[in-house]
Amino acid sequence: MASEKLASDHVERHDSIEPVGNDLEGFTDLKTTTEAHAAIEKEHNMTALQALKLYPKAVAWSLLLSCAIIMEGYDVVLIGSFFAYPAFNMKYGHLMSDGKYGLDASWQAGMTNGMSVGQIIGLFVNGIVSERYGYRKTLMACLASTVGFIFILFFAPNVQTLVAGELLMGIPLGVYQTLTVTYASEVCPVALRAYLTTYVNLCWVFGQLIASGVLKGLVERTDQWAYRIPFAIQWVWPIPIFIGVYFAPESPWWLVRKDRREDAIKAVKRLTRADPNFSAEETVSMIVYTNAMEHRTEQGASYLDCFKGTDLRRTEIACCVWAVQSLCGSGLMGYSTVFYQRAGLAESMSFTMSLAQYAIGVVGTFSSWLFMSYLGRRTLYVGGLAVLAAILFVIGFVSIPESTSALSWTTGSMLLVYTFIYDSTIGPVCFSLVSEMPSSRLRTKTVVLARNTYNILNLVTGIIIPYMLNVDAWNWRGKSGFFWGGLCILCLVWSFFRLPEPRGRSYAELDVLFENKVRTREFPRAKTGLVQSELEGEKGSA
């Protein structure tokens, strides 16, 4: 295929940059290269509806595996909301200065950060184990361990045991965070990539919603079952998900990296329906071709290789995209029930508001699918940060006067608006971006590094947010919006200058763009030479 040139600031410079990937002599044969280009062309022209008809099995398997992330969303809200839960505080807390039972800010931070430390451990383990043994075996092992760790939380006699249980529970939760989104990104075509990767965020919100509903239903109980039943409910989903994962096909990308081409072809056939216009062999050739392109420029596949050459930029983008989730003030949502109570709302009403908040989050994630189709990832991400910063400053300003009923409702209402914007933009789009930015051979490890960047920052936010909201600590209440609003603006500046638009690009095309150091705002119109249709103008794609 004749080489096409990449775009830059001016149209006349499109012919000044040599594309990467067309000269792979010694890496792939002519047949593989020809089939790969044909598959890339087909994916590039495939609409979301056509992809859904061709890949219904891939969608089903991806949706099933992504359900594992429900447990993380559930556990995060469970622990954060327990800090405002009367029966839980009576068991594990002590009498506070406001006359109510509660945990010290140090123990609140310890429980939250215990889970974050466990997730960091689990993530690094996942980057090594899943690449060696495959996604399915790794996920099944984590689901089995989850069942055992729940026993520690269920029978915990004191707060120290709870902290230990949360740390252990965090290990499999860390694996779920990255393995599910990586699997989703590798079993679906370009047209469905954004939907299936952002569905991971929807599962996270589902977990939050379920936890809020359970706590709302049990808030009036005063016995031990008020907090033990919520822990026990976590035993519900590991077993059915385990059974589903056992029968699921392995990622064809992982199989190709293990030189198991025939198994990859079988996996692709299990992920698609019979179609005379579709060839599983062509699709696997595209995977082999992309893998060969990356081996042509970079040989290693270790964590250290994520910081070498063009992969350094890709790692930076993935890590910062996920870091923004922590720095934009989203941690306030995890403590929403406490936040509402500190703002002056009654206990029962605070749990009602939390339930409404996560229901709005579900609606927001569905909305993001529509927004991405028209706006793309970059516009939605940058625009979302701008709106979130404005909302946080509003929360800060309305909290300056002494708390009144009207101001409490205003603060609560702004958090609901914040949740909708977050789950329409930053929340789900992040999952799509972090799976698209890395090279295929380093995808798992890059996503692990990105998520651990998020988790490390969560260790910090997990310490300071309890102090911000605790009545016997800083007691900032809504004025914490000023702090998070300022950080949100810094995130907005980074995103504007560093975050590219990957919409409609195959992984091979993204490899070409990064290898040629195409600048951030040139990504949408840059030509790679891998797709003939780009000469005729880009076609819209999710």
Side-chain angles (χ1 to χ4, degrees), residues 134-388:
Y135 300 168
R136 291 174 56 256
K137 291 180 180 179
T138 303
L139 188 55
M140 287 190 291
C142 289
L143 288 166
S145 65
T146 296
V147 174
F149 294 149
I150 294 171
F151 278 96
I152 300 176
L153 299 173
F154 184 81
F155 292 106
N158 50 49
V159 69
Q160 292 90 339
T161 306
L162 281 177
V163 172
E166 284 299 320
L167 189 150
L168 292 172
M169 188 71 169
I171 295 175
L173 292 182
V175 175
Y176 303 149
Q177 290 173 349
T178 54
L179 194 147
T180 52
V181 69
T182 304
Y183 184 86
S185 69
E186 293 188 353
V187 299
C188 64
V190 173
L192 296 178
R193 197 167 61 204
Y195 303 114
L196 292 183
T197 52
T198 55
Y199 174 78
V200 174
N201 182 78
L202 185 61
C203 289
W204 198 72
V205 177
F206 277 148
Q208 295 176 317
L209 183 62
I210 294 170
S212 295
V214 170
L215 293 171
K216 170 65 177 176
L218 298 171
V219 70
E220 301 297 333
R221 294 187 70 114
T222 58
D223 58 7
Q224 61 178 339
W225 296 107
Y227 53 86
R228 282 193 169 179
I229 289 176
F231 281 133
I233 287 175
Q234 294 179 94
W235 276 315
V236 171
W237 38 74
I239 294 177
I241 296 176
F242 183 97
I243 295 173
V245 174
Y246 179 81
F247 290 104
E250 186 57 84
S251 164
W253 289 81
W254 181 82
L255 292 168
V256 166
R257 291 196 294 271
K258 296 300 177 181
D259 295 323
R260 295 167 57 182
R261 178 165 182 158
E262 291 304 315
D263 289 335
I265 292 173
K266 293 176 183 177
V268 171
K269 289 180 178 179
R270 290 191 60 198
L271 292 166
T272 57
R273 60 183 299 180
D275 189 313
N277 298 316
F278 173 77
S279 169
E281 288 77 8
E282 281 186 357
T283 299
V284 172
S285 290
M286 177 184 66
I287 299 173
V288 172
Y289 180 82
T290 304
N291 191 53
M293 284 178 60
E294 294 171 3
H295 276 295
R296 178 181 181 269
T297 55
E298 301 287 345
Q299 293 296 321
S302 67
Y303 279 112
L304 186 60
D305 290 301
C306 295
F307 300 96
K308 294 180 180 179
T310 57
D311 287 306
L312 175 60
R313 180 187 178 191
R314 304 174 84 156
T315 301
E316 175 221 332
I317 295 171
C319 289
C320 289
V321 161
W322 227 327
V324 167
Q325 273 200 340
S326 182
L327 296 174
C328 71
S330 63
L332 293 176
M333 296 188 298
Y335 290 85
S336 59
T337 307
V338 178
F339 195 92
Y340 294 138
Q341 291 183 13
R342 294 291 177 245
L345 297 182
E347 288 176 352
S348 179
M349 182 56 67
S350 69
F351 279 97
T352 300
M353 291 289 283
S354 293
L355 192 59
Q357 172 184 327
Y358 298 122
I360 288 173
V362 172
V363 176
T365 303
F366 281 123
S367 300
S368 72
W369 294 351
L370 177 64
F371 296 153
M372 276 191 292
S373 299
Y374 291 97
L375 301 176
R377 278 55 134 189
R378 171 184 160 83
T379 301
L380 198 56
Y381 199 87
V382 174
L385 278 172
V387 177
L388 291 180

Side-chain angles (χ1 to χ4, degrees), residues 23-225:
D23 179 17
L24 292 175
E25 184 178 354
F27 289 88
T28 62
D29 55 37
L30 179 61
K31 180 174 181 293
T32 297
T33 301
T34 303
E35 290 179 344
H37 280 269
I40 293 172
E41 181 74 32
K42 290 178 181 178
E43 280 211 6
H44 201 272
N45 296 321
M46 188 182 297
T47 66
L49 184 59
Q50 290 171 337
L52 187 61
K53 291 179 179 179
L54 181 60
Y55 284 84
K57 298 175 184 178
V59 171
W61 290 120
S62 177
L63 297 184
L64 175 65
L65 267 66
S66 296
C67 286
I69 207 70
I70 291 175
M71 285 179 278
E72 191 213 350
Y74 183 95
D75 200 77
V76 167
V77 170
L78 203 63
I79 296 304
S81 298
F82 271 159
F83 300 154
Y85 213 59
F88 181 86
N89 287 327
M90 284 286 292
K91 169 66 176 178
Y92 298 106
H94 62 87
L95 197 63
M96 307 287 283
S97 63
D98 61 354
K100 297 180 180 179
Y101 279 86
L103 270 68
D104 291 330
S106 58
W107 280 116
Q108 291 180 359
M111 288 183 64
T112 303
N113 289 341
M115 183 171 62
S116 295
V117 170
Q119 289 173 348
I120 291 171
I121 297 171
L123 282 162
F124 278 124
V125 170
N126 175 52
I128 298 171
V129 174
S130 65
E131 191 61 29
R132 180 171 181 177
Y133 297 105
Y135 300 168
R136 291 174 56 256
K137 291 180 180 179
T138 303
L139 188 55
M140 287 190 291
C142 289
L143 288 166
S145 65
T146 296
V147 174
F149 294 149
I150 294 171
F151 278 96
I152 300 176
L153 299 173
F154 184 81
F155 292 106
N158 50 49
V159 69
Q160 292 90 339
T161 306
L162 281 177
V163 172
E166 284 299 320
L167 189 150
L168 292 172
M169 188 71 169
I171 295 175
L173 292 182
V175 175
Y176 303 149
Q177 290 173 349
T178 54
L179 194 147
T180 52
V181 69
T182 304
Y183 184 86
S185 69
E186 293 188 353
V187 299
C188 64
V190 173
L192 296 178
R193 197 167 61 204
Y195 303 114
L196 292 183
T197 52
T198 55
Y199 174 78
V200 174
N201 182 78
L202 185 61
C203 289
W204 198 72
V205 177
F206 277 148
Q208 295 176 317
L209 183 62
I210 294 170
S212 295
V214 170
L215 293 171
K216 170 65 177 176
L218 298 171
V219 70
E220 301 297 333
R221 294 187 70 114
T222 58
D223 58 7
Q224 61 178 339
W225 296 107

Side-chain angles (χ1 to χ4, degrees), residues 424-438:
S424 300
T425 57
I426 307 303
V429 175
C430 168
F431 288 94
S432 179
L433 288 169
V434 297
S435 66
E436 293 174 308
M437 290 298 111

